[in-house]
Amino acid sequence: MQVDIKQAGINIEKSNIDTLKLWEEIWLKNIELNKNHFSYFNKDHSIKVWLNENQNNPIVLVGAGFSLEKNIDYLSMCIDNKIPIFSCAHSFMYLNDLGIKSDFVCVLDAGSQWAEYLIGESRNIPLFADWCCDPVQLKDWMGAVYFYASRIDKGSETGKKIINKSKELCAIPPDFLNADAHVMATMFYIAKNVMASSDIIFVGCDYGFSKDGKFYPFDKEIDKKSIPTDIVGNSYDIFGHTVNVSASYALFKTLMDKLVCENANDRDSFINATEGGILGAYKHGNLKNYDYLTLEDAIGVVCKKREYKCQGQ
């Protein structure tokens, strides 16, 4: 099955125009501030430093959805089995609170609000950051920072301004990722197309509200300001239940499904171990491009698969 953005009722062109209008000046300012602080974006500050670094190995992508409360403790099994944990800023905070170390962290947003989520032990943890990110998020990170660019649409006026800004700063733009400005999609792109990971496990990728109205897994004061308010009604979760969704996260979910369908092959697997949520779920059934397992079972499957690969080499 292929995911059709138009059939899903999503006007991505309007969404992009609205986003460009809102963020253009902030992006341009942040690029200049990051260039002044880090000196350059490319060379050893580019995500391409990690090219093929996880080739033929599994990885876990951790979102911050409500179901993470069910299985976050099982992420310690990843550490025991040497499976990299790749977190967004939000889930990094949750894992850090429980003493579970992320192997990689990704930030995308241009606002400064995510800086609070990145407070914690970050030594020796690589941070992958869009060059438009607010430098307030990046300056205090204790590990290395590697840049990518997800907002260079050369045909748009904003894209032209960004290219001109980089020329003005004598800065070579970092490597471009076509991930539609969504952090989980960006993490997937880096894990799959940069690091060359084989089996990708999704955890905490709910993209909607629970039946009792939860959006995030833990009742933290810091989360209250980022709960989406653009509710557009019901969608179906992977168990066939109807749940509330927001317009923005319905878009992100559909884009993530589309990206997974485009990267599907007979060799690698994409495992939805979220144990809830709407990722891969549609009215008439779930996308076959994902396997749907608990996190504990998913870790067991990819470990056994890796063992077979090693025996065959």
Side-chain angles (χ1 to χ4, degrees), residues 37-38 63 69 97 130 146 151 156 183 194 201 212 310:
H37 181 74
F38 290 96
E69 184 180 17
D97 286 348
D130 192 291
Y146 301 90
R151 298 180 175 96
S156 71
V183 69
V194 177
I201 300 173
D212 58 356
C310 291

Side-chain angles (χ1 to χ4, degrees), residues 87-104:
S87 303
C88 61
H90 207 143
S91 58
F92 167 76
M93 175 185 69
Y94 296 145
L95 269 61
N96 206 55
D97 286 348
L98 294 175
I100 300 172
K101 184 181 178 183
S102 300
D103 294 282
F104 309 101

Side-chain angles (χ1 to χ4, degrees), residues 89-300:
H90 207 143
S91 58
F92 167 76
M93 175 185 69
Y94 296 145
L95 269 61
N96 206 55
D97 286 348
L98 294 175
I100 300 172
K101 184 181 178 183
S102 300
D103 294 282
F104 309 101
V105 178
C106 185
V107 290
L108 173 71
D109 293 273
S112 61
Q113 71 272 23
W114 298 106
E116 296 176 72
Y117 295 87
L118 294 171
I119 295 170
E121 179 54 60
S122 59
R123 279 174 293 187
N124 302 318
I125 302 176
L127 178 68
F128 301 126
D130 192 291
W131 67 332
C132 296
C133 280
D134 191 311
V136 169
Q137 299 183 74
L138 311 179
K139 287 179 179 176
D140 294 328
W141 189 259
M142 291 181 277
V145 177
Y146 301 90
F147 286 102
Y148 62 88
S150 67
R151 298 180 175 96
I152 306 179
D153 177 1
K154 294 178 182 177
S156 71
E157 286 304 310
T158 300
K160 291 172 186 175
K161 288 179 183 178
I162 287 176
I163 294 296
N164 289 337
K165 172 61 75 174
S166 67
K167 290 177 180 176
E168 177 190 319
L169 296 169
C170 298
I172 300 171
D175 295 289
F176 175 65
L177 300 182
N178 184 18
D180 294 300
H182 166 42
V183 69
M184 293 306 300
T186 300
M187 290 161 61
F188 177 88
Y189 192 99
I190 293 171
K192 185 71 193 159
N193 297 312
V194 177
M195 294 180 174
S197 305
S198 54
D199 304 305
I200 296 178
I201 300 173
F202 297 86
V203 179
C205 299
D206 293 276
Y207 291 100
F209 292 84
S210 68
K211 286 190 288 185
D212 58 356
K214 287 184 72 172
F215 194 78
Y216 295 121
F218 307 109
D219 294 321
K220 287 181 170 287
E221 191 66 29
I222 194 173
D223 289 337
K224 291 179 180 177
K225 62 186 178 184
S226 59
I227 294 174
T229 57
D230 54 338
I231 310 301
V232 292
N234 291 332
S235 184
Y236 292 89
D237 70 8
I238 59 172
F239 303 116
H241 303 135
T242 55
V243 293
N244 280 337
V245 294
S246 76
S248 53
Y249 279 82
L251 169 62
F252 294 152
K253 172 262 187 188
T254 307
L255 292 171
M256 188 71 253
D257 286 344
K258 183 173 183 289
L259 196 56
V260 163
C261 289
E262 290 170 351
N263 282 271
N265 60 58
D266 295 330
R267 183 183 66 254
D268 305 325
S269 62
F270 305 125
I271 303 176
N272 182 356
T274 294
E275 301 182 47
I278 65 172
L279 183 65
Y282 291 85
K283 182 177 180 180
H284 300 294
N286 297 337
L287 281 181
K288 66 178 183 181
N289 302 86
Y290 298 99
D291 294 317
Y292 300 87
L293 300 171
T294 66
L295 178 56
E296 184 180 16
D297 287 344
I299 292 170

